[in-house]
Amino acid sequence: MAGDAVTRTRFAPSPTGLLHLGHAYAALIAAREADPGRFLLRIEDLDAERCRPGYEAAIFEDLAWLGLDWPRPVMRQSERMDAYRAALRRLAPLCYPCRCRRGDIRAALSAPQEGMPPAGPDGLIYPGTCRSRSMAEAGPGDAIRLDAARAFAALGDDRLQFRETAPGAARRPCLDRDGFRTGIGDVILARRGMGSSYHLAVVVDDADQAITRVTRGADLFEATWIHVLLQRLLDLPTPEYHHHALIRDDAGKRLAKRDDARAIRHYRAAGATPQDIRRMVGL
Ligand code: GLU
């Protein structure tokens, strides 16, 4: 935050695979941007189906091998459901339960016009089918959505802003209510079977960890508008954001978890040093 002398950052991987060069880059940037001792680690293990304890252990090991250090104990999202539920309760007056499946949404969106249905940082832009339902009728099979129109009305402000610190990353300096409604829409705050969505959890966690600068890939730039809106609604501070470039493979595709060949530990096994990894990602 402006005026705050300390810069606190975090690296927030999900233990759903081995860390690859893209993660090494993201972790090293987060550590570089932080003041000494203020680089934090957070394990984003909301999706119990896909997360594995073995991958979490591998994360700690690979990061330590890279030369990084962080305060313990680390924050783990799977242990923070109470905090997410409390935030969701606060937002409930601006929310509605949604029973639509992805197929329903696609059908509703593609009925009138041909071509690809519009998508934003939270996936397909929800057409509002369940918007008139009340939270009193929420059932265990429902997702919970934030009504963007009601959210902006509650804010009493129709513009979102945040400070971007990565040179060249700021693709737009602000987003207004109409841009949010047409480009992002009514986002999901809690999914069926999963207490919290990524968006709600990340906002609550960044505030609880007192993160002052969120460093992450440029692919999350547009999602940041969702996070700024949630921060405003929950009276949480908006940190600075640093959206860095993505590490791509030789064909120009961004690395994914399944790109095991680029896993840090495979380079380790082949005799690479942490310095080699830094060189490979251009740091
Ligand atoms: N868990 C997210 C990921 O693995 C991190 C997103 C963020 O840094 O906000 O991409």
Side-chain angles (χ1 to χ4, degrees):
M1 254 183 325
D4 191 333
V6 166
T7 300
R8 197 178 287 101
T9 67
R10 79 326 190 255
F11 176 56
S14 297
T16 55
L18 292 172
L19 296 189
H20 55 56
L21 288 184
H23 296 107
Y25 182 67
L28 290 167
I29 296 261
R32 181 193 75 188
E33 295 289 311
D35 280 318
R38 310 299 170 114
F39 161 72
L40 305 188
L41 183 58
R42 179 166 77 228
I43 298 295
E44 301 214 323
D45 57 352
L46 275 183
D47 187 350
E49 302 253 300
R50 293 175 54 230
C51 293
R52 303 274 177 276
Y55 286 134
E56 188 182 304
I59 287 171
F60 297 144
E61 209 193 288
D62 287 344
L63 293 179
W65 176 79
L66 274 175
L68 301 177
D69 195 16
W70 56 91
R72 276 78 164 177
V74 302
M75 182 178 276
R76 219 179 251 106
Q77 290 190 326
S78 58
E79 295 168 357
R80 292 183 37 79
M81 288 304 163
D82 287 350
Y84 309 144
R85 261 193 293 271
L88 191 60
R89 263 196 307 276
R90 259 189 86 174
L91 296 171
L94 309 174
C95 291
Y96 58 89
C98 174
R99 59 163 80 98
C100 297
R101 309 274 149 171
R102 213 184 302 269
D104 303 329
I105 298 173
R106 207 171 291 123
L109 287 171
S110 58
Q113 78 275 61
E114 290 295 306
M116 284 285 283
D122 195 47
L124 294 174
I125 294 168
Y126 185 62
T129 319
C130 289
R131 197 175 286 140
S132 61
R133 295 181 70 209
S134 89
M135 286 297 280
E137 26 174 329
D142 289 327
I144 305 299
R145 285 187 187 273
L146 180 71
D147 182 330
R150 271 194 279 160
F152 275 93
L155 269 193
D157 179 1
D158 62 5
R159 232 164 62 117
L160 302 175
Q161 269 180 296
F162 64 88
R163 190 169 124 75
E164 171 67 55
T165 64
R171 269 167 280 169
R172 45 175 152 184
C174 63
L175 186 72
D176 67 14
R177 168 201 310 242
D178 290 335
F180 196 101
R181 282 164 65 185
T182 55
I184 298 176
D186 293 354
V187 296
I188 291 187
L189 298 187
R191 299 184 175 278
R192 51 183 86 83
M194 218 193 284
S196 172
S197 71
Y198 156 71
H199 300 300
L200 184 62
V202 81
V203 160
V204 171
D205 292 346
D206 284 336
D208 283 355
Q209 288 192 301
I211 301 302
T212 64
R213 184 173 299 171
V214 170
T215 66
R216 59 186 181 192
D219 54 331
L220 284 166
F221 186 92
E222 293 296 324
T224 300
W225 301 117
I226 302 171
H227 304 164
V228 174
L229 176 60
L230 293 175
Q231 286 151 3
R232 297 277 308 276
L233 294 170
L234 290 166
D235 293 316
L236 300 174
T238 291
E240 296 174 336
Y241 286 86
H242 181 105
H243 293 96
H244 56 72
L246 298 172
I247 300 290
R248 300 181 182 278
D249 65 15
D250 300 335
K253 254 184 69 224
R254 76 174 273 224
L255 300 184
K257 285 269 165 66
R258 59 188 171 281
D259 291 325
D260 257 10
R262 317 261 164 177
I264 296 171
R265 57 187 45 213
H266 292 168
Y267 290 105
R268 278 172 68 183
T273 65
Q275 205 43 48
D276 293 331
I277 301 285
R278 283 178 185 266
R279 244 192 320 272
M280 276 184 242
V281 298
L283 286 173

